[in-house]
PDB file of all heavy atoms in Angstrom:
ATOM      1  N   GLU A 213     115.440   6.280  83.713  1.00  0.00           N
ATOM      2  CA  GLU A 213     116.696   7.018  83.891  1.00  0.00           C
ATOM      3  C   GLU A 213     117.887   6.066  83.976  1.00  0.00           C
ATOM      4  O   GLU A 213     118.943   6.308  83.378  1.00  0.00           O
ATOM      5  CB  GLU A 213     116.605   7.906  85.129  1.00  0.00           C
ATOM      6  CG  GLU A 213     115.714   9.117  84.938  1.00  0.00           C
ATOM      7  CD  GLU A 213     115.457   9.875  86.224  1.00  0.00           C
ATOM      8  OE1 GLU A 213     115.577   9.266  87.324  1.00  0.00           O
ATOM      9  OE2 GLU A 213     115.108  11.071  86.151  1.00  0.00           O
ATOM     10  N   LYS A 214     117.717   4.982  84.717  1.00  0.00           N
ATOM     11  CA  LYS A 214     118.797   3.989  84.815  1.00  0.00           C
ATOM     12  C   LYS A 214     119.079   3.343  83.457  1.00  0.00           C
ATOM     13  O   LYS A 214     120.240   3.077  83.114  1.00  0.00           O
ATOM     14  CB  LYS A 214     118.432   2.906  85.836  1.00  0.00           C
ATOM     15  CG  LYS A 214     118.441   3.369  87.273  1.00  0.00           C
ATOM     16  CD  LYS A 214     118.079   2.205  88.188  1.00  0.00           C
ATOM     17  CE  LYS A 214     118.008   2.632  89.637  1.00  0.00           C
ATOM     18  NZ  LYS A 214     117.631   1.506  90.521  1.00  0.00           N
ATOM     19  N   GLU A 215     118.030   3.106  82.699  1.00  0.00           N
ATOM     20  CA  GLU A 215     118.181   2.515  81.373  1.00  0.00           C
ATOM     21  C   GLU A 215     119.038   3.417  80.492  1.00  0.00           C
ATOM     22  O   GLU A 215     119.967   2.956  79.805  1.00  0.00           O
ATOM     23  CB  GLU A 215     116.791   2.307  80.757  1.00  0.00           C
ATOM     24  CG  GLU A 215     116.760   1.419  79.544  1.00  0.00           C
ATOM     25  CD  GLU A 215     115.329   1.159  79.077  1.00  0.00           C
ATOM     26  OE1 GLU A 215     114.411   1.907  79.474  1.00  0.00           O
ATOM     27  OE2 GLU A 215     115.139   0.209  78.293  1.00  0.00           O
ATOM     28  N   ILE A 216     118.733   4.715  80.520  1.00  0.00           N
ATOM     29  CA  ILE A 216     119.499   5.687  79.738  1.00  0.00           C
ATOM     30  C   ILE A 216     120.934   5.785  80.255  1.00  0.00           C
ATOM     31  O   ILE A 216     121.892   5.820  79.473  1.00  0.00           O
ATOM     32  CB  ILE A 216     118.809   7.069  79.786  1.00  0.00           C
ATOM     33  CG1 ILE A 216     117.500   7.024  78.985  1.00  0.00           C
ATOM     34  CG2 ILE A 216     119.727   8.173  79.257  1.00  0.00           C
ATOM     35  CD1 ILE A 216     116.630   8.254  79.139  1.00  0.00           C
ATOM     36  N   LEU A 217     121.084   5.800  81.570  1.00  0.00           N
ATOM     37  CA  LEU A 217     122.411   5.956  82.161  1.00  0.00           C
ATOM     38  C   LEU A 217     123.310   4.757  81.855  1.00  0.00           C
ATOM     39  O   LEU A 217     124.514   4.914  81.622  1.00  0.00           O
ATOM     40  CB  LEU A 217     122.286   6.163  83.668  1.00  0.00           C
ATOM     41  CG  LEU A 217     123.539   6.675  84.392  1.00  0.00           C
ATOM     42  CD1 LEU A 217     124.081   7.934  83.740  1.00  0.00           C
ATOM     43  CD2 LEU A 217     123.235   6.933  85.854  1.00  0.00           C
ATOM     44  N   LYS A 218     122.738   3.564  81.843  1.00  0.00           N
ATOM     45  CA  LYS A 218     123.522   2.374  81.489  1.00  0.00           C
ATOM     46  C   LYS A 218     124.036   2.480  80.054  1.00  0.00           C
ATOM     47  O   LYS A 218     125.176   2.099  79.757  1.00  0.00           O
ATOM     48  CB  LYS A 218     122.673   1.112  81.652  1.00  0.00           C
ATOM     49  CG  LYS A 218     122.431   0.705  83.091  1.00  0.00           C
ATOM     50  CD  LYS A 218     121.506  -0.496  83.168  1.00  0.00           C
ATOM     51  CE  LYS A 218     121.192  -0.854  84.620  1.00  0.00           C
ATOM     52  NZ  LYS A 218     120.217  -1.983  84.698  1.00  0.00           N
ATOM     53  N   LEU A 219     123.212   3.003  79.168  1.00  0.00           N
ATOM     54  CA  LEU A 219     123.635   3.179  77.776  1.00  0.00           C
ATOM     55  C   LEU A 219     124.705   4.255  77.659  1.00  0.00           C
ATOM     56  O   LEU A 219     125.643   4.129  76.862  1.00  0.00           O
ATOM     57  CB  LEU A 219     122.423   3.526  76.899  1.00  0.00           C
ATOM     58  CG  LEU A 219     121.420   2.379  76.687  1.00  0.00           C
ATOM     59  CD1 LEU A 219     120.147   2.878  76.012  1.00  0.00           C
ATOM     60  CD2 LEU A 219     122.052   1.261  75.861  1.00  0.00           C
ATOM     61  N   ILE A 220     124.591   5.315  78.467  1.00  0.00           N
ATOM     62  CA  ILE A 220     125.636   6.341  78.506  1.00  0.00           C
ATOM     63  C   ILE A 220     126.941   5.727  78.985  1.00  0.00           C
ATOM     64  O   ILE A 220     128.009   5.965  78.411  1.00  0.00           O
ATOM     65  CB  ILE A 220     125.219   7.510  79.420  1.00  0.00           C
ATOM     66  CG1 ILE A 220     124.036   8.275  78.831  1.00  0.00           C
ATOM     67  CG2 ILE A 220     126.403   8.466  79.650  1.00  0.00           C
ATOM     68  CD1 ILE A 220     123.466   9.347  79.751  1.00  0.00           C
ATOM     69  N   ALA A 221     126.844   4.918  80.041  1.00  0.00           N
ATOM     70  CA  ALA A 221     128.040   4.278  80.597  1.00  0.00           C
ATOM     71  C   ALA A 221     128.688   3.322  79.594  1.00  0.00           C
ATOM     72  O   ALA A 221     129.902   3.108  79.636  1.00  0.00           O
ATOM     73  CB  ALA A 221     127.666   3.517  81.872  1.00  0.00           C
ATOM     74  N   ASP A 222     127.874   2.775  78.683  1.00  0.00           N
ATOM     75  CA  ASP A 222     128.392   1.878  77.645  1.00  0.00           C
ATOM     76  C   ASP A 222     128.882   2.635  76.427  1.00  0.00           C
ATOM     77  O   ASP A 222     129.088   2.050  75.362  1.00  0.00           O
ATOM     78  CB  ASP A 222     127.318   0.869  77.234  1.00  0.00           C
ATOM     79  CG  ASP A 222     127.054  -0.175  78.306  1.00  0.00           C
ATOM     80  OD1 ASP A 222     127.948  -0.389  79.151  1.00  0.00           O
ATOM     81  OD2 ASP A 222     125.954  -0.760  78.312  1.00  0.00           O
ATOM     82  N   ASP A 223     129.020   3.965  76.570  1.00  0.00           N
ATOM     83  CA  ASP A 223     129.617   4.831  75.537  1.00  0.00           C
ATOM     84  C   ASP A 223     128.722   5.058  74.330  1.00  0.00           C
ATOM     85  O   ASP A 223     129.196   5.299  73.220  1.00  0.00           O
ATOM     86  CB  ASP A 223     130.975   4.269  75.091  1.00  0.00           C
ATOM     87  CG  ASP A 223     131.898   5.347  74.536  1.00  0.00           C
ATOM     88  OD1 ASP A 223     131.753   6.508  74.960  1.00  0.00           O
ATOM     89  OD2 ASP A 223     132.748   5.031  73.675  1.00  0.00           O
ATOM     90  N   ASN A 224     127.403   5.001  74.551  1.00  0.00           N
ATOM     91  CA  ASN A 224     126.472   5.377  73.489  1.00  0.00           C
ATOM     92  C   ASN A 224     126.249   6.882  73.529  1.00  0.00           C
ATOM     93  O   ASN A 224     126.113   7.460  74.620  1.00  0.00           O
ATOM     94  CB  ASN A 224     125.125   4.667  73.683  1.00  0.00           C
ATOM     95  CG  ASN A 224     125.219   3.172  73.461  1.00  0.00           C
ATOM     96  OD1 ASN A 224     125.195   2.698  72.341  1.00  0.00           O
ATOM     97  ND2 ASN A 224     125.345   2.427  74.551  1.00  0.00           N
ATOM     98  N   ASP A 225     126.194   7.537  72.380  1.00  0.00           N
ATOM     99  CA  ASP A 225     125.915   8.978  72.369  1.00  0.00           C
ATOM    100  C   ASP A 225     124.402   9.197  72.403  1.00  0.00           C
ATOM    101  O   ASP A 225     123.606   8.252  72.358  1.00  0.00           O
ATOM    102  CB  ASP A 225     126.571   9.668  71.174  1.00  0.00           C
ATOM    103  CG  ASP A 225     126.064   9.178  69.819  1.00  0.00           C
ATOM    104  OD1 ASP A 225     124.895   8.728  69.732  1.00  0.00           O
ATOM    105  OD2 ASP A 225     126.826   9.253  68.837  1.00  0.00           O
ATOM    106  N   THR A 226     123.995  10.455  72.484  1.00  0.00           N
ATOM    107  CA  THR A 226     122.580  10.797  72.653  1.00  0.00           C
ATOM    108  C   THR A 226     121.713  10.261  71.520  1.00  0.00           C
ATOM    109  O   THR A 226     120.631   9.695  71.761  1.00  0.00           O
ATOM    110  CB  THR A 226     122.419  12.328  72.756  1.00  0.00           C
ATOM    111  OG1 THR A 226     123.188  12.811  73.857  1.00  0.00           O
ATOM    112  CG2 THR A 226     120.968  12.710  72.960  1.00  0.00           C
ATOM    113  N   LYS A 227     122.189  10.399  70.301  1.00  0.00           N
ATOM    114  CA  LYS A 227     121.416   9.928  69.149  1.00  0.00           C
ATOM    115  C   LYS A 227     121.247   8.411  69.191  1.00  0.00           C
ATOM    116  O   LYS A 227     120.152   7.887  68.929  1.00  0.00           O
ATOM    117  CB  LYS A 227     122.102  10.360  67.856  1.00  0.00           C
ATOM    118  CG  LYS A 227     121.310  10.006  66.612  1.00  0.00           C
ATOM    119  CD  LYS A 227     122.025  10.485  65.347  1.00  0.00           C
ATOM    120  CE  LYS A 227     121.225  10.090  64.101  1.00  0.00           C
ATOM    121  NZ  LYS A 227     121.912  10.516  62.849  1.00  0.00           N
ATOM    122  N   GLU A 228     122.311   7.702  69.523  1.00  0.00           N
ATOM    123  CA  GLU A 228     122.253   6.235  69.589  1.00  0.00           C
ATOM    124  C   GLU A 228     121.284   5.772  70.670  1.00  0.00           C
ATOM    125  O   GLU A 228     120.525   4.810  70.476  1.00  0.00           O
ATOM    126  CB  GLU A 228     123.648   5.667  69.856  1.00  0.00           C
ATOM    127  CG  GLU A 228     124.606   5.811  68.687  1.00  0.00           C
ATOM    128  CD  GLU A 228     126.039   5.441  69.046  1.00  0.00           C
ATOM    129  OE1 GLU A 228     126.422   5.639  70.225  1.00  0.00           O
ATOM    130  OE2 GLU A 228     126.767   4.973  68.159  1.00  0.00           O
ATOM    131  N   ILE A 229     121.291   6.463  71.806  1.00  0.00           N
ATOM    132  CA  ILE A 229     120.377   6.111  72.901  1.00  0.00           C
ATOM    133  C   ILE A 229     118.930   6.335  72.476  1.00  0.00           C
ATOM    134  O   ILE A 229     118.060   5.495  72.716  1.00  0.00           O
ATOM    135  CB  ILE A 229     120.706   6.933  74.158  1.00  0.00           C
ATOM    136  CG1 ILE A 229     122.093   6.553  74.685  1.00  0.00           C
ATOM    137  CG2 ILE A 229     119.649   6.715  75.246  1.00  0.00           C
ATOM    138  CD1 ILE A 229     122.602   7.471  75.781  1.00  0.00           C
TER     139      ILE A 229
END
Side-chain angles (χ1 to χ4, degrees):
E213 287 171 337
K214 289 181 183 179
E215 194 175 17
I216 290 171
L217 194 53
K218 286 176 184 177
L219 290 170
I220 293 173
D222 288 338
D223 205 28
N224 292 279
D225 62 28
T226 302
K227 184 179 179 181
E228 290 171 329
I229 295 170

